[in-house]
Amino acid sequence: MADFSDYLPYAAALVIAIPFLVLLRQFVYTYINLKNQEIKLLSVKSNSENKTHSYERMTLFLERIKPSNLVQKFDKDLAVHEFVFLTERTINEEFEYNASQQLYLTKNSWQNIVNSKNAVIDLLHKTYESLNNNPNLNDYKTIFIMNYMNDNDYIGATIEDLRREILIIA
């Protein structure tokens, strides 16, 4: 049988190695936790940037569908029904292009944007239907803007809601 003193160097190495391995394990565990927290923080920051970008894009969309900006589009020689058709198509195309932004907006904000878009399109058609004597395009545009101004500023209210929400997020 071997003498106990033959195993003494191994025992000393083991006594020194065990605390070192425990500390190394603790260091690696802490390092992994810190990296996971960093990844989560970067993810939250990236998500916040996506939300901010979405609010900016939808605010731009709302600004573009304001009647005062819509009347400046297209050729001045168009017939009124052509202007209504092209304006409605432009609004719907831009809305569809921005539809993915609803992922980053609150349900209430998205609903307000949809309602604003639909209200502008309804106003386009109601103004056209109210002028059954086929006015020229300039008269139609003037009445269209006046009808919007006499109604609630639903686009301005929606933009203000978006502004309040982005302050909460940021």
Side-chain angles (χ1 to χ4, degrees):
M1 190 141 198
D3 191 17
F4 181 68
S5 61
D6 291 340
Y7 295 111
L8 202 54
Y10 297 113
L14 203 56
V15 167
I16 293 172
I18 288 176
F20 176 74
L21 290 174
V22 169
L23 288 174
L24 181 65
R25 181 184 169 276
Q26 187 71 24
F27 172 77
V28 169
Y29 180 76
T30 304
Y31 181 77
I32 290 171
N33 280 342
L34 288 174
K35 283 298 178 183
N36 284 338
Q37 288 176 352
E38 182 181 359
I39 289 170
K40 286 179 186 175
L41 184 63
L42 289 174
S43 172
V44 167
K45 182 179 178 185
S46 174
N47 195 23
S48 176
E49 289 173 3
N50 287 343
K51 284 185 177 189
T52 302
H53 182 68
S54 295
Y55 279 85
E56 290 171 354
R57 280 183 58 179
M58 295 317 297
T59 301
L60 182 60
F61 168 74
L62 290 168
E63 284 293 333
R64 287 181 178 161
I65 66 169
K66 278 187 177 179
S68 58
N69 293 327
L70 288 175
V71 296
Q72 298 172 10
K73 292 185 172 204
F74 307 117
D75 188 18
K76 297 177 194 297
D77 297 330
L78 290 174
V80 175
H81 68 278
E82 293 172 327
F83 174 80
V84 171
F85 172 78
L86 291 173
T87 303
E88 181 178 357
R89 190 176 82 189
T90 301
I91 290 170
N92 284 324
E93 284 174 355
E94 187 162 350
F95 179 77
E96 289 169 6
Y97 176 76
N98 288 308
S100 64
Q101 302 308 309
Q102 67 183 299
L103 294 172
Y104 304 105
L105 300 175
T106 63
K107 188 175 183 178
N108 184 48
S109 290
W110 183 252
Q111 190 59 49
N112 288 342
I113 291 167
V114 171
N115 291 343
S116 293
K117 175 197 76 103
N118 291 336
V120 169
I121 292 172
D122 287 345
L123 185 63
L124 274 168
H125 290 286
K126 286 179 183 174
T127 303
Y128 180 71
E129 291 167 3
S130 70
L131 302 172
N132 53 12
N133 58 358
N134 289 336
N136 67 26
L137 186 57
N138 285 333
D139 293 343
Y140 173 81
K141 288 178 178 181
T142 303
I143 294 170
F144 177 58
I145 291 174
M146 288 175 56
N147 285 344
Y148 176 76
M149 290 173 57
N150 291 336
D151 203 3
N152 295 342
D153 185 16
Y154 41 84
I155 294 176
T158 302
I159 290 173
E160 191 57 37
D161 287 344
L162 292 175
R163 188 175 286 132
R164 275 192 296 266
E165 282 187 18
I166 198 67
L167 289 175
I168 293 170
I169 291 171

